[in-house]
């Protein structure tokens, strides 16, 4: 039997709470094989019948920075699905939440969505090993890596279904998760959208704009809570520092807050929170990378030929965002979208690193996509990443689920080649790919290398 849960209202900072520390009374188990790849999940040892039940304490966090504390008998055997059910019940969420959310293990080094039958305790026991396999982190950083249990959006939940949600509690959790991704720089948006989102967030958390209370100094102090760093931090160059952008940002922040307050002037903010959550999400939904799982990687930086003779440029660190619609490549440092390729306009291939005496060689994920212009050609991008195998597995699963959801299964868009349904240009109209920022190989549609 489980004792009633209670909320742990603690600030959620990556690395603050090590999950293993929450498993009070847990014992080491025999190593499970194929931890993340076996269809049947993680194997555990059977306990003797006379063995006393172990009470395990654990916390499931939410993206609104709250956590729910559980004390469970034999909690080391608890599956992700059980934790999701208990958290839904504790939060009073409707049944649709079972499709919307999943249980994740999250740290500053690695994020893993758990299958329903995965046992979080068993995965945590292998966390250091997983970080060695799938990250470039130093051993000292891996030892400090502290994963937490998180209930957040399921990467396999389609965006078109999410747009039909009316439950305010679910919209609230989705809003907090989207807000986290915006502020962390995972969602590279147009500047005007950043300001509008900050205005909505201010209306929710600071109330309606009041010129006597909400002075410019307050907005300046809150920039870090409402914007990603690149929107207000100074850009430093070799001999000079660019003009401070924070003053301009805080002015537009205040303007957006005032503008949104005028829109809801005749209404109590607490009665329209659902509308505000949806208004925030509606902007995020317009971007192709919304709802993605994120992976760290790097790509070659294009350089001019004469520069290559002097010194090659360092690789560009990127985030690879994968959701049910496609793959996006985001410049991690500049926080700009470099490429988005929908699955029905994409071919991909995973390739293990070839040993050549260099321990730094990483596995690769190759992405090939069509570029339409005067001459139709395909472009090939190589993404280097320790997480390439995880990316490949996620893409395969997303594509399979997409195929199964289609009414007409007569066309397999993976086997049919690139762009079998090229009449759909909705993705292209929303995204401006910056191909000049990527090192690409160009081929004709017949497969002949051009450049």
């Amino acid at each position: 039997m489980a004792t009633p849960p209670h909320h742990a209202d603690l600030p959620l900072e990556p690395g603050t709470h090590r999950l293993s520390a929450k498993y009070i009374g847990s014992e080491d188990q025999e190593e499970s094989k194929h931890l993340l790849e076996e269809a049947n999940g993680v194997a555990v040892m059977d306990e003797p019948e006379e063995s006393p039940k172990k009470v395990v304490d654990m916390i499931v966090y939410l993206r609104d920075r709250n956590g729910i504390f559980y004390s469970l008998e034999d909690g080391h055997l608890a599956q992700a699905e059980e934790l999701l059910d208990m958290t839904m019940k504790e939060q009073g969420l409707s049944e649709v939440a079972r499709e919307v959310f999943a249980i994740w293990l999250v740290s500053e080094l690695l994020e893993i969505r758990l299958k329903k039958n995965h046992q979080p305790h068993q995965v945590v026991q292998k966390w250091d090993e997983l970080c060695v396999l799938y990250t470039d982190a130093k051993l000292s950083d891996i030892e400090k890596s502290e994963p937490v249990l998180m209930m957040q959006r399921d990467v396999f939940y389609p965006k078109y279904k999410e747009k039909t949600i009316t439950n305010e509690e679910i919209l609230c959790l989705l809003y907090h998760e989207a807000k986290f991704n915006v502020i962390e720089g995972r969602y590279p948006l147009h500047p005007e959208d950043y300001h509008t989102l900050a205005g909505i967030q201010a209306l929710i958390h600071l109330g309606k704009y009041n010129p006597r209370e909400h002075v410019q100094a307050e907005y300046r102090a809150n920039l870090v809570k409402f914007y990603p760093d690149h929107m207000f931090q100074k850009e430093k160059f070799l001999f000079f520092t660019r003009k401070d952008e924070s003053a301009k940002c805080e002015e537009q922040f205040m303007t957006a807050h005032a503008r949104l307050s005028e829109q809801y002037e005749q209404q109590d903010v607490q009665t329209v929170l659902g509308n505000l959550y949806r208004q925030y999400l509606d902007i995020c939904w317009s971007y192709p990378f919304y709802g993605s799982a994120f992976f760290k990687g790097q790509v070659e930086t294009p350089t001019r030929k004469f520069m290559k003779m002097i010194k090659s440029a360092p690789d560009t660190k990127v985030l690879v965002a994968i959701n049910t619609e496609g793959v996006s490549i985001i410049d991690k440092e500049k926080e700009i979208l470099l490429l988005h390729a929908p699955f029905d306009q994409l071919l991909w291939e995973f390739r293990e690193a070839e040993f050549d005496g260099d321990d730094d060689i990483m596995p690769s994920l190759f992405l090939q996509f069509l570029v339409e212009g005067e001459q139709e050609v395909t472009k090939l991008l190589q993404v280097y990443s320790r997480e390439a195998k995880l990316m490949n597995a996620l893409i395969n699963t997303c594509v399979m689920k997409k195929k199964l959801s289609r009414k007409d299964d007569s066309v397999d868009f993976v086997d049919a080649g690139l762009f079998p349904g090229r009449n759909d240009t909705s993705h292209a109209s929303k995204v401006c790919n910056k191909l000049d920022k990527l090192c690409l190989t160009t081929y004709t549609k017949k497969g002949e290398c051009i450049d």
Side-chain angles (χ1 to χ4, degrees):
M1 296 291 292
T3 59
H6 66 268
H7 289 267
D9 188 7
L10 300 173
L12 177 61
E13 299 293 342
T16 303
H17 305 283
R18 185 165 179 81
L19 182 59
S20 56
K22 302 303 176 187
Y23 285 93
I24 300 174
S26 63
E27 297 178 357
D28 292 336
Q29 300 285 345
E30 181 182 350
E31 287 191 357
S32 55
K33 297 180 180 180
H34 308 298
L35 184 62
L36 297 177
E37 298 174 6
E38 281 191 354
N40 293 326
V42 182
V44 295
M45 294 175 61
D46 292 330
E47 292 284 345
E49 291 184 4
E50 65 274 9
S51 176
K53 293 182 180 295
K54 287 174 288 202
V55 176
V56 176
D57 294 344
M58 62 181 72
I59 297 176
V60 177
Y61 287 98
L62 309 173
R63 280 297 179 192
D64 62 2
R65 303 175 74 89
N66 288 317
I68 302 174
F69 178 89
Y70 299 102
S71 187
L72 305 174
E73 291 183 352
D74 282 343
H76 64 293
L77 302 178
Q79 296 183 346
E81 184 176 28
E82 298 174 69
L83 295 177
L84 179 62
D85 287 343
M86 290 188 295
T87 305
M88 284 174 50
K89 183 177 180 180
E90 173 64 17
Q91 292 295 108
L93 301 177
S94 62
E95 276 299 305
V96 70
R98 198 181 309 279
E99 294 182 59
V100 180
F101 299 105
I103 298 296
W104 294 63
L105 273 172
V106 177
S107 81
E108 68 279 8
L109 299 181
L110 190 64
E111 299 181 8
I112 296 176
R113 172 196 175 273
L114 300 181
K115 295 179 181 179
K116 292 181 179 180
N117 56 359
H118 273 159
Q119 295 165 329
H121 173 73
Q122 297 294 315
V123 182
V124 169
Q125 303 310 308
K126 305 277 284 185
W127 191 256
D128 288 358
E129 182 179 331
L130 292 170
C131 288
V132 170
L133 285 173
Y134 297 118
T135 76
D136 276 328
K138 299 177 182 178
L139 288 177
S140 58
D141 293 331
I142 291 175
E143 291 174 356
K144 297 175 184 176
S145 177
E146 300 174 348
V148 297
L149 279 170
M150 182 81 67
M151 189 187 84
Q152 62 184 35
R153 190 185 188 281
D154 191 340
V155 67
F156 296 123
Y157 189 65
K159 185 163 59 177
Y160 76 88
K161 282 190 176 182
E162 182 173 325
K163 291 181 178 181
T164 66
I165 294 175
T166 57
N167 183 281
E168 185 174 309
E169 289 76 16
I170 295 177
L171 288 174
C172 177
L173 292 175
L174 291 170
Y175 154 76
H176 280 286
E177 185 170 344
K179 175 168 64 70
F180 170 82
N181 286 321
V182 168
I183 295 172
E184 288 295 309
R186 290 177 162 188
Y187 287 176
L189 312 178
H190 298 302
E192 58 270 22
D193 285 338
Y194 280 123
H195 298 307
T196 301
L197 294 181
I200 297 171
Q201 184 183 342
L203 189 57
I204 293 172
H205 298 282
L206 303 180
K208 293 181 182 178
Y209 173 73
N210 184 333
R212 288 176 293 183
E213 295 181 15
H214 301 126
V215 295
Q216 194 160 333
E218 182 179 1
Y219 291 100
R220 185 184 309 118
N222 278 301
L223 288 176
V224 69
K225 299 178 182 179
F226 289 77
Y227 288 90
D229 291 346
H230 75 276
M231 285 294 291
F232 59 86
Q233 285 189 344
K234 298 178 181 179
E235 290 190 34
K236 296 182 179 180
F237 294 87
L238 186 60
F239 299 110
F240 64 93
T241 300
R242 192 174 177 178
K243 184 179 179 181
D244 188 2
E245 294 290 333
S246 62
K248 181 179 179 181
C249 187
E250 65 198 37
E251 290 173 5
Q252 297 195 38
F253 180 12
M254 182 169 61
T255 300
H257 186 195
R259 184 179 71 251
L260 267 295
S261 297
E262 287 182 8
Q263 292 181 16
Y264 291 91
E265 184 177 4
Q266 304 301 322
Q267 297 169 289
D268 183 351
V269 171
Q270 295 302 312
T271 65
V272 293
L273 286 177
N275 292 338
L276 292 172
Y277 298 147
R278 177 170 289 278
Q279 191 174 352
Y280 191 101
L281 289 167
D282 193 52
I283 293 175
C284 297
W285 286 336
S286 67
Y287 289 87
F289 40 74
Y290 174 80
S292 292
F294 294 90
F295 304 87
K296 300 179 182 70
Q298 57 194 62
V299 297
E300 290 185 51
T301 304
T303 55
R304 295 182 180 179
K305 291 183 179 180
F306 73 89
M307 288 297 294
K308 288 184 179 180
M309 299 173 63
I310 303 173
K311 185 180 180 181
S312 59
D315 287 349
T316 300
K317 293 184 178 181
V318 297
L319 286 177
V320 181
I322 301 173
N323 59 16
T324 56
E325 298 300 320
V327 180
S328 300
I329 306 295
I330 299 167
D331 187 317
K332 191 176 178 182
E333 182 179 345
K334 298 181 180 178
E335 297 182 4
I336 57 174
L337 178 65
L338 301 176
L339 170 70
H340 173 71
F343 288 135
D344 53 3
Q345 303 177 3
L346 177 70
L347 295 177
W348 69 96
E349 180 180 315
F350 166 71
R351 190 171 298 175
E352 289 280 10
E354 297 181 3
F355 179 75
D356 65 353
D358 186 351
D359 292 337
D360 292 332
I361 297 296
M362 289 187 286
S364 299
L365 184 69
F366 289 87
L367 304 173
Q368 187 175 14
F369 52 95
L370 183 68
V371 177
E372 295 182 326
E374 295 181 2
Q375 179 185 7
E376 286 189 343
V377 296
T378 63
K379 299 281 188 178
L380 182 67
L381 174 67
Q382 184 175 9
V383 181
Y384 300 92
S385 175
R386 300 289 182 198
E387 298 180 87
K389 190 172 185 178
L390 299 180
M391 297 181 209
N392 181 62
L394 179 55
I395 292 175
N396 285 331
T397 304
C398 286
V399 168
M400 185 59 64
K401 287 179 177 289
K402 195 174 182 71
K403 286 166 59 180
L404 293 174
S405 68
R406 289 195 169 188
K407 294 181 180 179
D408 181 11
D409 291 330
S410 60
V411 176
D412 183 340
F413 63 80
V414 178
D415 297 333
L418 293 171
F419 289 94
R422 284 161 49 192
N423 291 330
D424 182 8
T425 59
S426 58
H427 293 288
S429 63
K430 295 179 181 178
V431 178
C432 181
N433 291 329
K434 298 175 176 60
L435 302 185
D436 60 317
K437 305 294 184 182
L438 296 168
C439 191
L440 303 167
T441 305
T442 306
Y443 295 88
T444 66
K445 291 188 69 177
K446 295 181 180 180
E448 300 170 347
C449 183
I450 301 175
D451 183 22

